[in-house]
Amino acid sequence: IIQQLDATTRGLQLQLRAAEEGRLASERDIKAAVERRFDSMQEGITKQEQQIVDRGLALERVLQREADERAASDALIRTELDQALQALDKAAKNEQAQRTLMQREVHSQ
């Protein structure tokens, strides 16, 4: 009977060890699967963050280009207005000179 009990005990110990090893292997497999899924999710989040940054940078470039174009346009308009004002000032001076000349001619007659 003792031999049978020893044999049964050894058999149960082997089964217990096998079950424990199976449980540990399952745990490792589950952990590895969870880590792969986590890494995949992390990679997806990183890609999304990079896309957001890229879109922000693209928008910033567009806004900067528009601001530069507006500044160039404003400078051109200021130059054209300055030229128009100079032309008006010159025309006003010429007109004043002609009036003065006409007044002198009228007074001299």
Side-chain angles (χ1 to χ4, degrees), residues 34-103:
V34 167
E35 286 178 358
R36 282 192 304 272
R37 179 68 179 141
F38 177 77
D39 290 345
S40 174
M41 289 172 62
Q42 187 91 3
E43 193 175 302
I45 289 169
T46 301
K47 285 180 183 178
Q48 287 177 341
E49 288 172 345
Q50 186 60 46
Q51 287 175 346
I52 290 169
V53 168
D54 291 344
R55 287 179 188 147
L57 291 173
L59 179 60
E60 186 177 328
R61 285 191 300 272
V62 167
L63 292 174
Q64 184 60 47
R65 186 173 40 242
E66 288 178 357
D68 292 346
E69 288 172 0
R70 276 194 307 274
S73 176
D74 290 350
L76 179 63
I77 290 171
R78 278 194 294 278
T79 301
E80 289 174 354
L81 286 174
D82 187 47
Q83 290 172 350
L85 286 174
Q86 287 176 4
L88 282 173
D89 188 44
K90 185 176 179 181
K93 286 180 182 177
N94 286 342
E95 188 177 317
Q96 183 62 34
Q98 285 182 355
R99 262 194 228 132
T100 303
L101 184 62
M102 290 167 99
Q103 288 174 351

